């Protein structure tokens, strides 16, 4: 039996002649029975924080476009102008895909983040897998926070290195794991801002730990770049750290920068080595040059318009104060990611549906994205929101409090 989607929330079984597909169908069907089945929504139009879905406008609180740059006119214009000559890159970077737009973006990103060089990847997933597969070998040690993004886990597993995961933000446990195999080549990888909890890693302490234990520190700053630090240069800069403290920096272009793709930044030796050996860089088509140009312009907007970061910080404070007054179970987070912990998948889905009835779209995050019993509404704020928008969300949460 293979499961076929026929309408939102419905699964229709039909027969197939494949044991593998039968097994996959059974897993899919089981996921639907325990309130974990997901499906993409089709957005017809977008206007600021408003999303038109199936002919209805909803006020969105689930986007990673933290600064509103995905709709910035200069970013859009840059993409259109660069696409006049070519849409796709046509090949991998090392064949004929590396264009002037790619090179200029890499130079801009390196200078912005205080690094010698930067290397573009098509996605953050490919960037993290490329770094870990290139640097780590069998017999090496990779230590990670338990809540890092899935691509860091996958990269470590694919590398063949021994993977050890410490309890979230537990520095003492991280130290014990690094010390468990003295003399071994070791890498410690962490998110800077954790994508589902919204809290931040203690980067200064982790950098000091890695220096003491002669380990290499890698930071995934997907949710910090553009939002934190001087000129929005990210979490590492905000922590007062430099390239020597955090030798490997990865960040994405599809969140606060509103574009698509990712990069790794660090020393010339790191970047040249990745360019020669990272399979997820070498064996894939380069990102469209027009997107690279749009991302470069987005960086210039971030640097010259600090009011976007300031407004976002103000909205975060307003929302957290209002949520505290309502007694809502928010997790501790000073970032744009504000998780409302509800526990069960059923309760989380019910709360999301109740908010949608009030014209609000909020992400219902359930296992396996988060651990069992830790389902939550993942509320995200953007500089596109107004104070009135935040107050409307708080009013709706107050009305839905019985469900939450």
């Amino acid at each position: 039996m293979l499961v076929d989607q026929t309408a939102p929330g419905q699964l229709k079984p039909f027969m197939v002649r494949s044991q593998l597909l039968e097994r996959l169908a059974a897993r899919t069907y089981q996921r639907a029975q325990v309130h974990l089945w997901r499906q993409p929504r089709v957005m017809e139009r977008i206007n600021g924080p408003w999303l038109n879905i199936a002919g209805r406008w909803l006020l969105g609180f689930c986007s990673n476009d933290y600064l509103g740059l995905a709709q910035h006119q200069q970013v859009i214009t840059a993409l259109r102008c660069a696409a006049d000559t070519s849409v796709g890159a046509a090949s991998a970077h090392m064949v004929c895909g590396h264009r002037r737009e790619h090179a200029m973006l890499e130079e801009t990103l390196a200078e912005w983040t205080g690094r010698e060089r930067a290397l573009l990847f098509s996605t953050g997933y490919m960037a993290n897998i490329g770094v870990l597969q290139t640097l780590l070998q069998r017999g090496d040690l990779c230590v990670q926070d338990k809540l890092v993004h899935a691509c860091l886990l996958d990269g470590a597993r694919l590398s063949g290195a021994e993977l050890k995961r410490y309890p979230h933000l537990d520095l003492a446990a991280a130290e014990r794991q690094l010390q468990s195999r003295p003399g071994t080549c070791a890498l410690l990888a962490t998110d800077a801002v954790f994508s589902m909890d919204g809290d931040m890693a203690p980067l200064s302490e982790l950098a000091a730990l890695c220096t003491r234990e002669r380990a290499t520190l890698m930071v995934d700053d997907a949710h910090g770049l553009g939002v934190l630090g001087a000129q929005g240069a990210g979490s590492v800069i905000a922590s007062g750290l430099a390239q020597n403290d955090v030798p490997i920096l990865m960040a994405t272009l599809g969140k606060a920068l509103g574009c698509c793709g990712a990069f790794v930044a660090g020393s010339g030796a790191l970047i040249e080595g990745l360019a020669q050996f990272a399979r997820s860089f070498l064996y894939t088509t380069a990102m469209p040059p027009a997107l690279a140009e749009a991302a470069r312009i987005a960086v210039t907007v971030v640097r010259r318009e600090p009011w976007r970061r300031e407004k976002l910080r103000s909205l975060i404070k307003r929302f957290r104060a209002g949520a505290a007054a309502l007694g809502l179970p928010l997790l501790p987070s000073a970032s744009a990611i504000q998780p409302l912990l509800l526990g069960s998948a059923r309760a989380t889905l019910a709360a999301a549906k109740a908010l949608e009835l009030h014209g609000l779209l909020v992400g219902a995050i359930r296992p396996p994205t988060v651990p069992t019993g830790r389902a939550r509404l993942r509320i995200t704020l953007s500089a596109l929101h107004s104070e009135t928008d935040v107050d409307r969300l708080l009013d709706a949460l107050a009305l839905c409090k019985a469900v939450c």
Side-chain angles (χ1 to χ4, degrees):
M1 177 183 70
L2 186 65
V3 179
D4 178 32
Q5 177 184 334
T6 57
Q10 297 180 358
L11 294 176
K12 177 185 176 182
F14 60 88
M15 301 305 296
V16 294
R17 296 179 182 272
S18 166
Q19 288 182 325
L20 290 176
L21 291 181
E22 285 280 358
R23 187 172 65 192
L24 178 61
R27 291 174 59 199
T28 304
Y29 185 76
Q30 177 60 27
R31 176 162 286 188
Q33 303 314 298
V34 292
H35 312 288
L36 300 181
W37 183 61
R38 290 169 271 190
Q39 66 184 82
R41 296 173 180 266
V42 178
M43 290 186 292
E44 305 292 343
R45 286 180 290 166
I46 184 169
N47 183 14
W50 290 88
L51 312 172
N52 189 283
I53 299 174
R56 184 185 178 204
W57 284 100
L58 298 172
L59 180 57
F61 285 95
C62 51
S63 169
N64 291 334
D65 185 16
Y66 303 129
L67 301 179
L69 297 186
Q71 299 177 65
H72 195 287
Q73 193 56 54
Q74 290 184 20
V75 177
I76 294 172
T77 299
L79 185 144
R80 284 176 174 165
C81 292
D84 277 346
T85 57
S86 175
V87 175
S91 76
H93 284 273
M94 292 302 195
V95 181
C96 68
H98 199 76
R99 298 270 294 277
R100 178 183 59 85
E101 291 88 350
H102 297 123
M104 291 175 63
L105 175 57
E106 287 177 342
E107 291 172 5
T108 297
L109 292 169
E111 187 272 328
W112 184 33
T113 58
R115 307 259 147 174
E116 290 178 22
R117 288 180 59 187
L119 187 70
L120 292 176
F121 285 79
S122 297
T123 67
Y125 212 109
M126 295 171 73
N128 278 339
I129 286 178
V131 169
L132 294 176
Q133 278 194 295
T134 300
L135 290 181
L136 295 171
Q137 303 175 10
R138 293 192 181 279
D140 293 342
L141 175 64
C142 185
V143 173
Q144 300 183 359
D145 188 294
K146 276 195 173 181
L147 296 190
V148 297
H149 193 275
C151 55
L152 286 170
L153 290 174
D154 291 348
R157 288 167 176 158
L158 288 169
S159 74
E162 181 182 4
L163 173 62
K164 293 192 175 187
R165 302 169 68 194
Y166 57 89
H168 186 45
L169 304 183
D170 190 334
L171 282 167
E175 183 173 22
R176 288 194 298 272
Q177 290 176 351
L178 286 176
Q179 292 175 346
S180 67
R181 294 183 55 197
T184 300
C185 289
L187 181 145
L188 190 150
T190 183
D191 290 5
V193 178
F194 289 87
S195 61
M196 292 299 123
D197 281 29
D199 53 0
M200 302 176 191
L203 295 185
S204 296
E205 292 86 347
L206 288 172
L209 170 62
C210 287
T211 297
R212 291 196 306 272
E213 300 301 328
R214 297 175 59 84
T216 300
L217 179 58
M218 174 180 180
V219 171
D220 178 332
D221 202 22
H223 297 274
L225 187 78
V227 176
L228 302 174
Q231 295 188 341
S235 303
V236 173
I237 296 295
S239 300
L241 302 175
Q243 180 176 291
N244 288 340
D245 306 303
V246 182
I248 308 169
L249 170 67
M250 194 289 295
T252 58
L253 310 175
K255 297 177 177 65
L257 292 183
C259 296
C260 187
F263 69 98
V264 177
S267 66
L270 169 69
I271 300 308
E272 192 57 44
L274 291 175
Q276 298 301 319
F277 298 107
R279 294 170 66 86
S280 57
F281 171 80
L282 288 168
Y283 302 117
T284 192
T285 300
M287 68 187 295
L291 274 173
E293 179 62 9
R296 187 181 70 84
I297 297 303
V299 173
T300 67
V301 174
V302 169
R303 301 180 80 169
R304 74 164 183 260
E305 297 186 5
W307 67 264
R308 293 177 181 272
R309 295 188 295 280
E310 293 163 5
K311 182 182 178 184
L312 180 59
R313 284 193 291 269
S314 175
L315 293 176
I316 293 167
K317 291 179 181 178
R318 187 181 189 91
F319 174 73
R320 290 196 64 84
L326 292 173
L328 296 175
L330 277 185
L331 293 179
S333 167
S335 74
I337 302 164
Q338 295 293 315
L340 184 57
L341 186 65
L342 300 182
S344 77
R346 183 190 293 270
T348 300
L349 277 177
K353 289 177 180 177
L355 289 172
E356 189 167 341
L357 290 174
H358 288 85
L360 303 170
L361 187 64
V362 178
I365 307 300
R366 294 152 285 156
T369 306
V370 293
T372 301
R374 300 282 291 177
R376 80 281 306 270
L377 294 175
R378 183 180 181 268
I379 297 165
T380 55
L381 301 171
S382 167
L384 292 176
H385 288 123
S386 66
E387 291 185 348
T388 301
D389 293 335
V390 171
D391 292 344
R392 177 175 175 175
L393 172 62
L394 289 167
D395 289 342
L397 288 170
L399 293 172
C400 300
K401 191 175 179 181
V403 178
C404 295

